[in-house]
Amino acid sequence: MKAILICCLLILVASHESDYQNLLYGILQGSELITPITPLNCKTLISRFQKPYLFDRPWKKVISDTSVLSETCGFNAAYETLQGFMQFPQIFEKFLIKLDDSIENDRLFPESNLQKYGISVGMIMKPFLALVIPTVLDFEFSNKFMSLKSGKHPIAIFHGLGDSCYYSGNIEFTEYIRKNVGTYTKCVEIGDGSNSSWLEPFQSQAIQACERIKEETEYSNGLSIIGLSQGGLIARYIAEACGVPVHVIVTIGTPHMGVATMPYCLNGFYCDVINDVTSKDAYGLFSQSNIGPPGYFNDPNNYESYLENSSFLADLNNEKFINTTFIEKMQSLNHLVLIKFTEDSAISPIESAWFGYFEGGNVVPFNQTKSYLKNTLGLQQLYSENKLHFIEIEGEHLNFNEEEFTELILPYLLD
Ligand SMILES: *[C@@H]1O[C@H](CO)[C@@H](O)[C@H](O)[C@H]1NC(C)=O
Ligand SMILES: *[C@@H]1O[C@H](CO)[C@@H](O)[C@H](O)[C@H]1NC(C)=O
Ligand SMILES: *[C@@H]1O[C@H](CO)[C@@H](O)[C@H](O)[C@H]1NC(C)=O
Ligand SMILES: *[C@@H]1O[C@H](CO)[C@@H](O)[C@H](O)[C@H]1NC(C)=O
């Protein structure tokens, strides 16, 4: 009740159109749909009186106005993302509950400046946007945990689908790793980031990643790699096929055995095409040679077709034929750390993050898959030598915090 009251009051207070406009700017900025926005980017005024209230909760109206603002200002990707977000009523509802909760606990009201307030709201939205388009890493760096140990190997970080090394989540995360591991650390970009992760075939993303690693003299004696989401497949490609020694791999929400449903693309003008062709024909030549995610599509109902048509994952997993180099390289890892999120809605099945997958219609754990039983990647040795680590984090895709990382994962990077 209090939440609704404060919320309505706030919107009333914003009776000046420009105040209201600033609130909407703040939301776009805080959710990273637009990088720093100033009124100069967009002179159109959105008035809160422009459209009648159609929603049961005022915040639904505010978010819809934010989307109108991005549309009228030509921020098309932001517009499409917000529209898409609103089309997932359950996720949208969860966001509103979280927002009510923050308002209830007065965590949001230190400022009279409405743009700052909007930024707080946008930051609360960020992890929820990540559910419908897995672009956003919900990670905040504080200086709380400074480790005394330091690592031995330089670190490369590869981000996930639709993400970029320049988004603040990745900047903070990279900074956290640099400080806590204490060695050379870089978020390594493939192509232009977000666009490339969708629009380049996965095989060519992996080849580029290998080239980027070889260009860095800091990595020439070997490195450890952290891969977020699909970045974890890149990490494995580098270990198996790039010819650079890799010591530790940490994968965070990575579909090692593939995905049974295509990730849904929301952010960008090209998404219509992507969603259309991948839903109809993920193994088709067009999809496999023009779009990233089909490279790790693994149709649980048609293994033969996967073997024949997968342009990336079936090779990486040694499922077409055995490349013994891949096995040797995997077995030479000091640690392979696999993080799974209990409520991951970006990866289906979730178990893929731990090398589990569909087998005869059911999802089975890693040690009951064909690949493991045939030992196509040498995981049996890693397992028996205690080098294969299964870590579970509660919550959604890539939704982890500093404490969890420090406690559960950092020790492997320091070893
Ligand atoms: C992504 O592609 C679109 C269309 O070509 C372009 O407008 C946009 O600037 C690109 N984004 C980046 C980060 O290059
Ligand atoms: C196995 O993989 C390595 C590394 O990519 C490659 O150089 C080699 O040619 C492959 N071997 C076979 C038999 O394909
Ligand atoms: C995939 O492989 C199957 C054989 O298993 C083949 O018949 C089919 O034409 C290929 N292409 C697609 C798009 O499935
Ligand atoms: C599979 O791995 C789990 C977890 O390590 C273990 O408890 C179980 O006994 C293993 N099952 C088989 C068949 O090896």
Side-chain angles (χ1 to χ4, degrees):
M1 191 55 212
K2 186 183 166 201
I4 306 282
L5 262 180
I6 295 176
C7 174
C8 295
L9 268 175
L10 189 97
I11 293 165
L12 271 177
V13 166
S15 53
H16 294 297
E17 287 177 357
S18 62
D19 284 348
Y20 188 64
Q21 184 95 351
N22 282 333
L23 177 73
L24 307 186
Y25 281 145
I27 292 173
L28 285 169
Q29 188 173 328
S31 57
E32 298 193 344
L33 292 174
I34 298 284
T35 35
I37 183 167
T38 64
L40 287 178
N41 293 109
C42 169
K43 295 199 172 101
T44 322
L45 269 188
I46 303 296
S47 155
R48 70 195 177 87
F49 303 111
Q50 221 164 48
K51 281 185 176 176
Y53 276 84
L54 294 173
F55 299 109
D56 53 345
R57 276 148 99 183
W59 276 104
K60 292 194 178 175
K61 158 87 174 143
V62 173
I63 300 302
S64 114
D65 284 351
T66 310
S67 122
V68 171
L69 176 78
S70 31
E71 187 189 26
T72 51
C73 299
F75 303 127
N76 296 330
Y79 169 73
E80 284 173 31
T81 300
L82 287 167
Q83 289 291 305
F85 177 55
M86 290 186 288
Q87 280 158 29
F88 287 85
Q90 278 171 324
I91 292 174
F92 195 31
E93 190 55 34
K94 274 195 201 165
F95 155 70
L96 292 173
I97 290 167
K98 172 82 188 259
L99 189 61
D100 285 348
D101 178 57
S102 302
I103 292 169
E104 190 79 47
N105 291 305
D106 290 343
R107 282 198 292 272
L108 275 181
F109 285 93
E111 304 286 344
S112 54
N113 176 339
L114 283 182
Q115 184 156 2
K116 284 196 178 149
Y117 181 59
I119 289 174
S120 305
V121 173
M123 284 164 66
I124 292 177
M125 283 175 75
K126 233 171 37 158
F128 294 92
L129 292 173
L131 305 189
V132 288
I133 168 167
T135 57
V136 187
L137 171 63
D138 188 24
F139 186 85
E140 268 181 46
F141 170 70
S142 73
N143 257 315
K144 223 169 4 169
F145 297 93
M146 289 297 291
S147 64
L148 297 171
K149 279 181 82 177
S150 86
K152 301 186 194 86
H153 309 293
I155 308 270
I157 298 169
F158 287 99
H159 64 67
L161 187 62
D163 207 349
S164 154
C165 285
Y166 303 107
Y167 289 167
S168 73
N170 277 319
I171 292 172
E172 300 242 348
F173 182 59
T174 306
E175 192 50 33
Y176 161 87
I177 297 293
R178 184 178 294 130
K179 291 211 162 139
N180 283 275
V181 179
T183 55
Y184 180 79
T185 300
K186 186 175 179 183
C187 176
V188 180
E189 194 64 280
I190 301 167
D192 70 6
S194 174
N195 281 0
S196 299
S197 68
W198 278 108
L199 295 176
E200 288 185 29
F202 209 74
Q203 177 78 15
S204 96
Q205 294 185 37
I207 292 168
Q208 273 186 61
C210 171
E211 285 164 5
R212 294 291 90 75
I213 293 295
K214 286 183 163 165
E215 282 163 12
E216 298 271 338
T217 49
E218 283 84 353
Y219 294 143
S220 56
N221 294 322
L223 73 160
S224 294
I225 308 179
I226 302 171
L228 296 149
S229 197
Q230 72 173 17
L233 298 176
I234 302 281
R236 261 206 299 125
Y237 178 85
I238 289 171
E240 293 173 30
C242 186
V244 182
V246 175
H247 302 286
V248 176
I249 291 182
V250 172
T251 68
I252 308 178
T254 294
H256 285 287
M257 297 292 285
V259 290
T261 52
M262 276 292 122
Y264 197 75
C265 175
L266 281 174
N267 192 344
F269 75 103
Y270 46 80
C271 282
D272 279 352
V273 179
I274 290 185
N275 290 330
D276 195 45
V277 300
T278 59
S279 69
K280 290 192 187 116
D281 195 14
Y283 286 138
L285 193 59
F286 182 85
S287 300
Q288 289 287 328
S289 50
N290 291 287
I291 304 171
Y296 51 90
F297 177 61
N298 182 351
D299 185 348
N301 301 313
N302 199 342
Y303 187 64
E304 295 310 312
S305 179
Y306 163 71
L307 285 187
E308 191 157 321
N309 304 306
S310 167
S311 62
F312 178 76
L313 191 65
D315 287 312
L316 186 74
N317 285 355
N318 259 348
E319 290 173 279
K320 290 184 181 171
F321 59 84
I322 302 279
N323 182 325
T324 49
T325 309
F326 290 5
I327 298 184
E328 284 157 23
K329 298 286 171 137
M330 286 295 283
Q331 287 177 345
S332 70
L333 291 173
N334 298 340
H335 298 287
L336 176 56
V337 186
L338 309 170
I339 292 120
K340 175 177 92 175
F341 295 92
T342 54
E343 285 157 63
D344 197 324
S345 59
I347 288 177
S348 163
I350 290 175
E351 209 53 37
S352 188
W354 279 3
F355 277 96
Y357 210 67
F358 285 98
E359 208 63 70
N362 298 311
V363 177
V364 298
F366 74 103
N367 52 9
Q368 290 171 33
T369 62
K370 277 196 281 297
S371 317
Y372 185 83
L373 296 171
K374 289 192 209 156
N375 205 23
T376 52
L377 280 177
L379 293 185
Q380 290 183 7
Q381 281 78 2
L382 286 177
Y383 182 71
S384 67
E385 290 166 12
N386 272 327
K387 293 177 175 174
L388 193 54
H389 307 283
F390 299 93
I391 292 171
E392 185 172 86
I393 292 182
E394 288 211 6
E396 258 293 351
H397 193 60
L398 300 188
N399 212 331
F400 59 97
N401 60 39
E402 183 171 353
E403 274 125 78
E404 286 161 335
F405 199 93
T406 305
E407 185 187 330
L408 302 171
I409 305 160
L410 191 63
Y412 297 112
L413 290 167
L414 297 174
D415 192 22

